[in-house]
Structures are given as structure tokens and as C-alpha cells.
Amino acid sequence: MKKIIFLNRFFAPDHSATSQLLSDLAFHLAACGNDVRVLTSRQRYDQPRAGLPETETIGEVAVYRLTTTHFGRSSLLGRGLDYCSFYLSMWRAALALAERGDILVAKTDPPLLSVVAMKVARRRGLRLVTWQQDLYPEIATLLGLPFVKGPLGRGLARLRDRSLRAAEANVVVGDRMADRLRSRGLSPDRIHVIPNWCNDEEIRPIARCDNPLRREWGLAGRFVVGYSGNLGRAHEFDTVLGAAEQLRDEPSIVFLLIGGGNKFDELRRRVKERSLDGLFRFIPYQELAVLRYSLGVPDLHWISLKPELEGVIFPSKLYGIAAAGRPIIAIAAEDGEIGSLVRSYDCGVVIAPGDSGALAAALRDLSTDPCRLAAMGQRARQMLDSDFTRRQAFARWRALLSDITSRSET
């Protein structure tokens, strides 16, 4: 039996988004009888010195954790060193583990991992699949990060494209990302759209009165505007902050943020500077076991994406919100992928980034219209059930990998 070998810096029990997605898929494929291996680091996303076991088997998946530096995300230099040490350790481990005909699936953490995977695949005669969670270096360039502009950025993009052309298949998480890759000359038959997912069997709509966290967090009787997950450079919060200023005298409305990220503490500081503490609550990441409750605490959720990042990244937190049956406030381009989904399914409201007045007005209206709110939440869950369930994503992955295996045997 040929092995399926996944490459990513994080894996269970880490709680980061890429880890959860990879862990879900790896466990599912192993349960279907596949020989699944994972090459990952010994770190957790928010604990670089975690020192997880070097080898173990989790749910029939053999996990090999590589020795790397562990500077974490506090500086670009330290992060770069962590990346480079992972490339080197992964190269050695993959060459030792892989055999001709195995499938090598490279995610995008660290960036450009597909380039190293391409070289391993060529040396060992492997079938390469890339799993694009975001497009690098485009995302770094658009976010204004140093060192990746101009000739260097263009050179990195060409190197990345070379690895994608060498792959049997490139899995992307949205149609706009597929469009970007096609525009760079990649063959359409090597681009496969498989959206990300959440545990929609576990995360179900819960009545507010039945949610213990609303009582535990002192939110009974409040209209809760939620944000759950990573708040990073790709996300915009000034629109929310401006709306909160206009809602200062609305005692029933509260903004609840659950998670972390590059911008999480910055927003907390800005809230304090503007004396908006009474309108905001900040809570750290919750364990997966309580996610079904924490997603159900808000009456609605907001998500955001800077318009220039359409097709470069997709906020997969949308699926958890929809699974919980909550409306979505999309602070994003109206004609972008998120905005189009929210409008076509009528499961929320699209707000142009920067239009704090429109956001404040929408929240006032929805806070006094529980019937409209409930209908939007029901349509959000229907959207998920029709097109974006975890079972559907797993079926697409199985079909893709089966097709690659059958081609390698002919």
C-alpha cells in the first residue's frame, strides 16, 4: 500500500486552523484504510517550546515530529529561522520515509513548502499534491511585509509556480484562488477547489437559552456581536471600532471576541484608549470540546477580509459560524467571494470596509428583529449543508487521491 505523507508545521493536538483541518483529513483517510503519515514540528502554534513527542500514533496516523528552532512568531527573523530549520529537517525526514509512488501532500506552513516538497518528490519518484491555504508571496507583498517586494517577490512567485506545475494536483480553498492560479498560467486540470470545513456534525445550532456559556460569561439578555478565531493582519477591525463608537449608548449590545492573533491585543488596546471597555469582552481561545457552545454564544458573528486579499486567502471561520446557525456580518468586498456567498444565500449583511455607519445601523436593526435574525441563521446552516459540509470535503479529497493513485498504477 502506498503511503500518504502530509507536510505541515502543526498537527494535533495543536488547535490552529491548519492543524485542525489536516488532523481531520488525516484521521479520516486513516480510518478508511490508508497508510497515513505526518511530518510536522514539535511546536504548538502559540507554544513554540511545547516539545511534543518526537513520534507517536494518533488515531491510526503515524506522526513524526521534527527538531526545529523554536523562536515562535514574536519576530520575523525568529519566524524565518523556524521556517528554515523545518525545511531542512523535513527534507531529511521525507527522503528517509518516502518510497517511489507515495503521495506527498504539502500544505503552506511554512510558506513555499511546496518548493522543498517538489525536490523531494523528484528525487524519490513521489506524486506531489499541494494544499494551498493561502498564496505566498502575494499575501506577504499585499500586507506590506519587508523583503518580499519587487524582484525578490516576483522571483519567489515564479519558484512557487514551478512547484505547482510539478504537482499532480493543487488543491485551493476557493474559486477566487483558483482564478489567480489560472491567471498565472497553471493548467486548469491541475487546480482543484476543495473548500475548508468545520466539524458540522458536532457544531449545531443551539438555542441561546440552552447555552451554558451565555450564562457563565454574564451575557444573558445582551445582543452579542461575536468574533471567533485568529484576528491577524489580513483582517480589518477599524470598521467595528467605529461602529462601537456610534453604539456607545446602546447598553444591550456587546462585542465578544474569542481567540487571539496579531491584531487581537491591538484591538484590545484601541478599545481601552477610546474608553469602550463596557462594549467589549475579550476571551482567549477555547478548547475544541466547547467550540459548539462558544460559537453559539453570539447572536451573530462578524468576519473581515481586506479587499486586496480576495483570492489570496479565505476566512474559513465562515463555516463554523454557518454550522452554529448564526448570521454573518461580512466586512469585505461586496463582489468578493465571502460577500457573494452571504448575499446569494441571504444569510447576513455585507458591509464595505470603512463604513462604520452602515455597520452600526445594521446592528441596531438586527438587535430588534429576532425573526429576521433567526431566518438568516437558518439560511446560513442551509448554505453549509448544501455545499460545505465536512463529509462533502472528505469525499472530494478521497476522489482526488484515488484518481492520483489509479493513474500511478497504469
Side-chain angles (χ1 to χ4, degrees):
M1 178 188 299
K2 299 301 182 183
K3 298 185 289 293
I4 302 172
I5 305 171
F6 287 99
L7 311 175
N8 192 57
R9 269 205 312 154
F10 301 108
F11 189 72
D14 177 74
H15 65 65
S16 65
T18 62
S19 171
Q20 290 181 37
L21 290 162
L22 171 55
S23 302
D24 276 357
L25 181 58
F27 295 149
H28 171 76
L29 292 173
C32 291
N34 295 284
D35 182 357
V36 180
R37 317 289 179 95
V38 175
L39 296 180
T40 186
S41 76
R42 301 185 67 191
Q43 302 179 5
R44 291 177 184 259
Y45 181 76
D46 53 0
Q47 293 178 283
R49 297 179 180 274
L52 295 170
E54 289 186 5
T55 60
E56 63 177 324
T57 299
I58 311 176
E60 302 180 57
V61 174
V63 183
Y64 305 83
R65 294 197 175 91
L66 312 176
T67 299
T68 66
T69 57
H70 39 71
F71 292 100
R73 297 176 293 121
S74 59
S75 74
L76 288 176
L77 177 59
R79 192 180 303 188
L81 291 171
D82 284 356
Y83 291 170
C84 291
S85 63
F86 185 84
Y87 297 143
L88 182 59
S89 293
M90 187 279 290
W91 164 267
R92 292 171 175 166
L95 286 176
L97 177 65
E99 299 174 307
R100 177 171 293 276
D102 287 346
I103 297 176
L104 194 64
V105 184
K107 293 197 78 175
T108 47
D109 189 358
L112 302 177
L113 184 56
S114 61
V115 175
V116 184
M118 171 186 67
K119 295 182 181 297
V120 173
R122 284 177 174 171
R123 180 170 290 197
R124 281 288 183 264
L126 312 178
R127 315 304 293 261
L128 176 62
V129 176
T130 78
W131 188 358
Q132 302 294 310
Q133 293 294 320
D134 52 48
L135 296 184
Y136 187 94
E138 289 89 340
I139 189 169
T141 302
L142 292 167
L143 291 176
L145 297 184
F147 313 122
V148 291
K149 294 182 178 179
L152 177 58
R154 291 192 293 272
L156 291 175
R158 286 194 295 270
L159 187 62
R160 187 272 320 278
D161 289 350
R162 189 185 309 165
S163 70
L164 303 191
R165 290 190 184 97
E168 296 278 336
N170 299 287
V171 174
V172 297
V173 296
D175 292 328
R176 297 297 175 89
M177 191 178 289
D179 291 342
R180 278 188 178 258
L181 292 185
R182 281 191 289 266
S183 73
R184 295 192 61 85
L186 266 73
S187 174
D189 62 1
R190 300 224 176 170
I191 301 172
H192 303 263
V193 179
I194 303 181
N196 286 340
W197 59 85
C198 69
N199 186 350
D200 53 275
E201 295 97 342
E202 176 73 18
I203 301 169
R204 310 286 304 181
I206 299 175
R208 291 153 184 80
C209 60
D210 295 331
N211 193 325
L213 288 184
R214 276 186 78 99
R215 297 188 295 272
E216 184 179 327
W217 291 347
L219 296 170
R222 306 290 295 275
F223 183 78
V224 182
V225 182
Y227 185 93
S228 180
N230 179 65
L231 187 64
R233 292 185 178 91
H235 309 122
E236 187 265 1
F237 63 68
D238 285 328
T239 307
V240 171
L241 205 55
E245 290 270 20
Q246 299 180 41
L247 297 169
R248 188 187 292 269
D249 298 324
E250 300 279 351
S252 65
I253 296 178
V254 60
F255 293 85
L256 172 69
L257 287 93
I258 307 168
N262 178 270
K263 296 292 184 179
F264 197 83
D265 290 335
E266 181 181 340
L267 177 57
R268 194 200 316 252
R269 176 180 56 79
R270 297 270 297 278
V271 164
K272 190 173 183 63
E273 288 173 354
R274 299 189 184 200
S275 300
L276 293 169
D277 308 62
L279 272 75
F280 282 83
R281 295 278 299 277
F282 294 88
I283 294 176
Y285 281 111
Q286 300 297 293
E287 293 296 326
L288 284 177
V290 300
L291 186 61
R292 62 191 295 258
Y293 296 107
S294 65
L295 285 172
V297 168
D299 293 278
L300 53 73
H301 289 251
W302 62 275
I303 59 178
S304 72
L305 182 67
K306 295 178 179 179
E308 61 269 25
L309 296 177
E310 286 284 345
V312 173
I313 192 172
F314 186 91
S316 296
K317 56 176 63 67
L318 176 142
Y319 304 121
I321 299 167
R326 295 295 184 260
I328 300 156
I329 298 286
I331 304 172
E334 185 174 1
D335 60 351
E337 195 156 6
I338 302 169
S340 297
L341 280 172
V342 170
R343 285 190 298 106
S344 63
Y345 285 93
D346 192 18
C347 59
V349 179
V350 182
I351 302 291
D355 196 347
S356 297
L359 177 56
L363 294 178
R364 283 195 186 98
D365 290 345
L366 289 169
S367 69
T368 58
D369 195 344
C371 292
R372 183 183 176 208
L373 199 72
M376 283 182 169
Q378 290 170 2
R379 289 192 289 269
R381 179 70 202 204
Q382 289 166 3
M383 172 186 71
L384 182 97
D385 287 338
S386 64
D387 293 311
F388 301 109
T389 66
R390 184 168 68 166
R391 186 170 297 178
Q392 289 166 333
F394 285 172
R396 292 170 185 142
W397 268 103
R398 289 197 312 271
L400 175 62
L401 296 173
S402 176
D403 179 62
I404 291 171
T405 300
S406 63
R407 278 189 272 132
S408 68
E409 292 173 349
T410 58

